[in-house]
Amino acid sequence: MSSVPERSDIDAQYKWDLESIYADDDDWEEAYEAVEERLGDLEAYEGRATEDGETLLEVLQLSDEIGREVSMVASYARMRSDENTADQEYQALTTRAQSLASRAQSAGSFIEPEIQSLDRDELDRMVEETDGLEQYGHFLDDVMRTKEHTRSAEIENLLAEFGEVTGASGEIYNMLSNADMTFPTVEKPDGDAVEITQSNFVNLLKNPDREFRRTVYEGYFDEWSDVRNSVGAAYKNSVKSDVKYAQARNYDTAREAALDGPNVPPEVYDNLLGTVRDNLDKLHQHAELKRESLGVDELRMWDLYMPMTDTESPELDYDRAVEYVTESLGALGDDYRSRVAEGIESRWIDVYETENKRAGAYSGGTYDTQPFILMNYQDDIASMYTLAHELGHSLHSQLTSETQPYVYSGYEIFVAEVASTVNESLLTHHLLETVDDPDFRQHVLNEYLERFRSTLYRQTLFADFEYQAHQVVENDEALTPDRLDQIYGDLKREFYEPAVVDERIEREWMRIPHFYRAYYVYQYSTGISAAVALADKILEEGEPAAERYLEFLRSGSREYPLELLEGAGVDMRSPEPIQRALDVYGDHLDEMEALI
């Protein structure tokens, strides 16, 4: 019998308030049908979207209205499904919502090609002569920037319709890993039985009993070995989809296509990989320090998550974690902190792990809803940091939605991870400044180092892996599970040189859901680099730096990511912020080494 509680066992205050979107599924059905009927109104503009400025404004506003409605329908269905990934009713709603989103994208697929059929002077004249169209200035600039990679309206329509099918690899992987796979139940050192899950796996690897850790590690990865061919096929086809889409839009590589969306030059990616490789000695120092702190002859893969402390992580209940996080955000001003407190009271957050709930954590919601956060809180310091992280995303979304029109209400992942990691940095500073308990402080410092390692180094390793995996397909070579094991294993050995890399960890690529969003993970690494610089400025300068940062959060996507960060005070075209972050990591490593 599972030790994970049922959803009905959780108090309502610890569950997100999806009824604030739709009171029930019948309301969702009405919203679905209403927006479905509007797709024809948008399609009616095809062929005449740019006949004059007023018509262009009408079609852009209608597209925005439909986008807002579709995003609410899709978000509700997805979050209901995430509550219980085995619930086929909500799987069906999610599938229908995805189909609707694909049809909506298809219905408006003519807009950008028709805009790009104009010359620049014509477009500028339309904007100048039409009240309200100037609001779309940056959007229109971006459309013209990607002109050479936009196909005819007919082909754009076809590509949009295929979106639902080409996303199937990620959906299959999600169902397999969250709903269909089950992991062993193992006996803890105290005699209690515990079921290994996607959510508690890493936490179990922090148990001080080394033989127990090994049992958990082997049981978990052996389960993955049973679905190796299925996951390998899913990821291979996901990569092929990335490559084919890039080719369809006249890009040389999938990486070029992915980075061109947010207008990030490939040198930023290369700077990251090169700078991190130049600083692998710091990661090796961390691994060696961990081996010494554990008192073992060899650091094994089941030892990597162990804290460099003499005691287990202090238990930290959710309500106390909320207090710490809320207090730590005072550096961003009273308004920011009160927004966090109000959001928690308004049930933004689905807190605890329950049977078949989606693993991990994320921040969601739409332009017209409150933010929502999915968590699987585990009563430890790591979960407190996850709370701070996701609240950073949610406040970014809220501030943007309040300030920007819908067209700029989203923001690129490249800047999204800055907001989350600034919160983590401020939390660390607050805890080290205010908590006297030496054991707690040591665990906080350890948590910071571990999150830094798992964010900057680990995500850069992931970024290198997916870059190499895509190159295999782009070179017309076979992307087999064996090849994926080899790529991942070689990187793991390079990054964790002092540790023993066994064959099970070579399969770790199988458990990373972010790989189904091509060239996504590198932005965690660039994000933490920018965040370290911004958090330092906020703590050093106070209100002026905080206000620049808050203006960055309020800006949404009204400028390109690199320009937004530059306005906040960070130049990500240079390797300097990455090196600066790695130097901070090195300084904290030296501090921890002195403590232990």
Side-chain angles (χ1 to χ4, degrees):
M1 182 178 292
S2 172
S3 60
V4 178
E6 296 287 338
R7 187 165 184 83
S8 58
D9 297 332
I10 305 299
D11 191 280
Q13 68 176 313
Y14 300 115
K15 293 190 284 191
W16 52 20
D17 181 20
L18 297 189
E19 290 79 10
S20 65
I21 307 178
Y22 300 114
D24 52 37
D25 294 350
D26 289 338
D27 282 358
W28 179 90
E29 195 71 46
E30 290 181 12
Y32 178 96
E33 292 174 0
V35 68
E36 187 177 37
E37 291 176 0
R38 300 193 72 187
L39 298 185
D41 297 338
L42 183 59
E43 291 170 329
Y45 280 94
E46 184 169 2
R48 61 186 188 90
T50 58
E51 61 184 17
D52 55 48
E54 287 75 15
T55 304
L56 178 57
L57 180 61
E58 287 173 10
V59 73
L60 291 176
Q61 290 176 334
L62 177 59
S63 178
D64 285 352
E65 291 169 10
I66 289 173
R68 291 167 68 169
E69 294 167 8
V70 168
S71 66
M72 288 179 66
V73 166
S75 291
Y76 177 87
R78 177 172 64 90
M79 289 188 286
R80 282 298 188 200
S81 179
D82 288 345
E83 292 176 347
N84 181 356
T85 57
D87 189 319
Q88 295 190 19
E89 178 183 348
Y90 285 119
Q91 287 181 27
L93 258 62
T94 302
T95 299
R96 290 175 60 200
Q98 289 170 341
S99 176
L100 179 66
S102 180
R103 283 183 286 140
Q105 184 180 2
S106 176
S109 62
F110 65 90
I111 297 174
E112 293 191 12
E114 291 192 27
I115 292 171
Q116 290 168 340
S117 69
L118 301 170
D119 64 43
R120 187 74 229 196
D121 290 340
E122 285 182 286
L123 182 58
D124 289 343
R125 187 166 56 253
M126 281 186 182
V127 172
E128 184 178 345
E129 295 175 352
T130 309
D131 289 341
L133 198 53
E134 71 280 354
Q135 174 177 278
Y136 291 90
H138 177 66
F139 165 78
L140 295 171
D141 287 342
D142 197 40
V143 170
M144 298 302 282
R145 180 184 66 86
T146 58
K147 183 172 183 176
E148 65 178 301
H149 299 294
T150 304
R151 305 297 298 274
S152 68
E154 181 181 6
I155 294 178
E156 286 295 330
N157 189 5
L158 186 63
L159 290 173
E161 289 182 350
F162 272 116
E164 183 180 358
V165 177
T166 55
S169 294
E171 184 179 357
I172 291 168
Y173 174 83
N174 183 48
M175 289 297 105
L176 177 67
S177 60
N178 286 296
D180 293 342
M181 289 184 71
T182 56
F183 297 92
T185 295
V186 294
E187 184 176 328
K188 296 173 69 177
D190 61 10
D192 291 340
V194 60
E195 177 189 6
I196 304 171
T197 68
Q198 299 281 36
S199 296
N200 71 10
F201 169 63
V202 170
N203 204 47
L204 293 176
L205 290 184
K206 298 176 184 178
N207 191 289
D209 188 300
R210 198 180 192 209
E211 190 56 37
F212 173 74
R213 298 199 302 272
R214 177 175 181 165
T215 300
V216 170
Y217 171 84
E218 292 180 350
Y220 178 81
F221 279 108
D222 286 349
E223 198 66 37
W224 280 106
S225 70
D226 292 341
V227 293
R228 184 167 177 268
N229 291 321
S230 297
V231 176
Y235 186 56
K236 174 191 69 178
N237 284 291
S238 179
V239 172
K240 283 188 172 182
S241 294
D242 299 335
V243 172
K244 293 298 183 183
Y245 261 84
Q247 292 172 347
R249 295 192 180 281
N250 300 317
Y251 288 101
D252 292 333
T253 66
R255 186 181 78 157
E256 182 185 348
L259 270 60
D260 193 44
N263 198 21
V264 173
E267 304 85 73
V268 172
Y269 204 98
D270 294 334
N271 281 339
L272 173 67
L273 298 188
T275 307
V276 168
R277 268 203 164 79
D278 289 343
N279 287 268
L280 286 179
D281 60 312
K282 295 180 176 66
L283 182 60
H284 298 163
Q285 178 190 354
H286 194 166
E288 182 60 21
L289 186 58
K290 182 163 291 196
R291 184 194 66 77
E292 292 176 1
S293 70
L294 294 175
V296 296
D297 293 333
E298 294 179 324
L299 187 72
R300 304 300 297 255
M301 291 296 102
W302 51 85
D303 298 322
L304 283 183
Y305 291 98
M306 277 299 292
M308 296 181 293
T309 56
D310 296 330
T311 59
E312 289 189 51
S313 176
E315 283 200 13
L316 186 65
D317 67 64
Y318 172 74
D319 293 324
R320 185 68 183 105
V322 166
E323 292 176 9
Y324 278 134
V325 171
T326 305
E327 292 165 1
S328 73
L329 299 174
L332 297 178
D334 292 339
D335 178 68
Y336 188 98
R337 185 161 55 180
S338 65
R339 285 172 180 271
V340 169
E342 183 180 348
I344 292 169
E345 287 294 319
S346 301
R347 293 174 53 201
W348 287 3
I349 307 173
D350 206 74
V351 179
Y352 295 111
E353 179 182 9
T354 53
E355 189 73 20
N356 292 320
K357 181 178 175 180
R358 174 175 168 156
Y362 66 75
S363 172
T366 76
Y367 186 72
D368 294 294
T369 72
Q370 66 181 39
F372 293 95
I373 295 173
L374 179 139
M375 291 190 66
N376 287 273
Y377 194 86
Q378 298 289 323
D379 285 337
D380 56 16
I381 289 176
S383 292
M384 174 177 62
Y385 271 82
T386 299
L387 174 63
H389 182 104
E390 300 304 338
L391 282 167
H393 290 309
S394 292
L395 266 293
H396 194 176
S397 296
Q398 186 184 63
L399 289 167
T400 293
S401 294
E402 289 179 1
T403 310
Q404 298 299 323
Y406 177 74
V407 66
Y408 304 131
S409 63
Y411 44 83
E412 299 290 349
I413 299 301
F414 192 93
V415 297
E417 294 307 327
V418 174
S420 56
T421 316
V422 163
N423 277 15
E424 292 184 25
S425 297
L426 294 176
L427 176 61
T428 300
H429 174 80
H430 171 74
L431 293 173
L432 293 178
E433 286 288 312
T434 60
V435 177
D436 294 328
D437 183 339
D439 183 54
F440 193 94
R441 289 171 58 82
Q442 193 169 1
H443 276 280
V444 167
L445 185 56
N446 177 80
E447 180 65 24
Y448 181 82
L449 288 169
E450 285 299 304
R451 293 182 80 85
F452 200 106
R453 174 187 68 81
S454 63
T455 301
L456 211 159
Y457 281 103
R458 180 176 168 83
Q459 302 299 330
T460 301
L461 185 155
F462 290 168
D464 206 335
F465 168 79
E466 66 175 338
Y467 182 39
Q468 293 189 47
H470 282 78
Q471 285 182 311
V472 170
V473 172
E474 287 163 348
N475 291 333
D476 293 323
E477 300 172 16
L479 191 64
T480 63
D482 284 346
R483 185 68 180 274
L484 291 164
D485 287 353
Q486 174 256 315
I487 294 170
Y488 195 88
D490 287 349
L491 285 168
K492 201 75 174 182
R493 291 182 183 90
E494 180 184 5
F495 274 61
Y496 290 91
E497 185 177 284
V500 177
V501 175
D502 60 83
E503 63 177 12
R504 285 184 176 87
I505 204 65
E506 292 179 347
R507 299 195 290 270
E508 189 178 30
W509 59 270
M510 296 174 61
R511 67 176 289 256
I512 312 301
H514 287 359
F515 287 154
Y516 294 86
R517 297 182 65 180
Y519 294 103
Y520 175 97
V521 294
Y522 86 97
Q523 296 163 114
Y524 285 109
S525 300
T526 55
I528 193 174
S529 301
V532 166
L534 289 171
D536 283 350
K537 291 176 185 292
I538 291 166
L539 293 169
E540 291 170 6
E541 299 178 27
E543 185 176 350
E547 182 52 40
R548 289 198 303 272
Y549 172 69
L550 292 172
E551 181 59 27
F552 158 76
L553 297 184
R554 289 189 287 260
S555 298
S557 57
R558 72 182 184 195
E559 295 181 78
Y560 294 117
L562 294 183
E563 282 68 38
L564 290 170
L565 285 171
E566 191 170 3
V570 178
D571 180 11
M572 291 306 298
R573 295 178 180 84
S574 162
E576 188 275 332
I578 301 167
Q579 185 62 56
R580 180 174 180 177
L582 290 163
D583 289 342
V584 169
Y585 170 71
D587 291 342
H588 283 306
L589 271 177
D590 292 341
E591 183 179 352
M592 178 62 95
E593 187 168 11
L595 284 173
I596 64 175

